[in-house]
């Protein structure tokens, strides 16, 4: 469900969603430096006691956000590309690259993901949640590449996208969207010459 959507789960579901939406906003706009209960409660428009009722510990909220991050990435993808795996391999790869490029260039989304990765280092259960979502992301990318999720080419492609996304974030003001697009086209060239493999 997209942020700001109407919820029909009653007040408790609505309050929980408001907290999660506010927490996403804090992470996307300020990163971990402002990720504290008072800031999130204020952003959600609720008393801090309400926040701690739903999420007693900071890691409870972070754990919920890790799941929300994967949902948001999926929502970022154009609807037609989520299941469009037919057609010529080069066309599918080009469409996948454009779709992933949109996520990579979303600085707020990358800031949130980076914050969750850094925060997960403090807690093994959070680290496992992040790792599980990386497995889902790898499988998603593998489908578009026509490869097994365990194929090293998938890890290399994922590392390139992550690297470009992180550079786009940290070089804000020094790297334009056009320069990032040029890097993504280089990845597209690499994908175009990569031999196809069976999907497993």
């Amino acid at each position: 469900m997209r942020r700001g959507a109407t919820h029909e789960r009653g007040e408790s579901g609505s309050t929980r969603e408001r907290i999660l939406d506010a927490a996403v906003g804090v992470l996307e706009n300020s990163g971990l430096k402002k990720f504290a209960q008072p800031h999130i409660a204020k952003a959600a428009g609720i008393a801090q006691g309400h926040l701690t009722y739903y999420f007693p510990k900071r890691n409870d909220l972070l754990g919920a956000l890790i799941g929300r991050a994967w949902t948001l990435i999926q929502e970022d993808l154009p609807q037609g590309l989520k299941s469009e795996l037919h057609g010529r391999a080069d066309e599918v790869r080009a469409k996948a690259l454009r779709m992933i490029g949109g996520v990579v260039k979303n600085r707020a989304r990358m800031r949130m993901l980076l914050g969750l990765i850094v925060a997960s280092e403090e807690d093994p259960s959070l680290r496992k949640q992040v790792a599980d979502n990386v497995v889902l992301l790898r499988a998603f990318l593998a489908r578009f590449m026509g490869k097994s999720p365990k194929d090293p080419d998938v890890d290399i492609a994922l590392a390139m996208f992550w690297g470009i996304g992180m550079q786009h974030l940290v070089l804000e003001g020094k790297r334009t969207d056009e320069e990032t697009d040029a890097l993504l086209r280089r990845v597209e060239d690499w994908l175009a010459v990569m031999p196809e493999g069976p999907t497993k």
Side-chain angles (χ1 to χ4, degrees), residues 124-183:
S125 66
L126 292 178
R127 194 174 316 124
K128 182 185 180 314
Q129 282 183 264
V130 168
D132 289 345
N133 280 303
V134 170
V135 169
L136 291 173
L137 187 57
R138 184 191 297 139
F140 186 82
L141 181 58
R143 289 175 65 204
F144 281 110
M145 292 175 65
K147 302 258 183 187
S148 162
K150 295 183 179 182
D151 190 303
D153 287 343
V154 176
D155 281 323
I156 292 168
L158 185 57
M160 284 192 288
F161 288 125
W162 268 349
I164 292 170
M166 290 301 155
Q167 288 180 54
H168 191 68
L169 172 62
V170 300
L171 295 176
E172 187 169 6
K174 296 180 180 183
R175 174 169 290 165
T176 65
D177 284 356
E178 292 75 21
E179 290 170 317
T180 296
D181 285 335
L183 290 173

Side-chain angles (χ1 to χ4, degrees), residues 36-101:
Q37 288 180 338
H39 290 112
I40 296 165
K42 182 177 180 182
I46 62 169
Q48 188 173 331
H50 281 101
L51 187 148
T52 56
Y53 172 79
Y54 290 97
F55 302 101
K57 298 178 186 170
R58 181 176 187 257
N59 281 1
D60 296 327
L61 182 54
L62 286 166
L65 283 183
I66 291 168
R68 174 62 67 90
W70 175 242
T71 301
L72 290 173
I73 289 171
Q74 288 180 301
E75 289 178 356
D76 287 342
L77 310 178
Q79 291 297 316
L81 286 177
K82 288 183 182 179
S83 59
E84 187 177 332
L85 295 172
H86 59 279
R88 291 188 6 224
D90 57 337
E91 291 173 354
V92 171
R93 286 176 178 164
K95 289 175 184 177
L97 181 71
R98 284 191 296 275
M99 174 251 337
I100 294 167

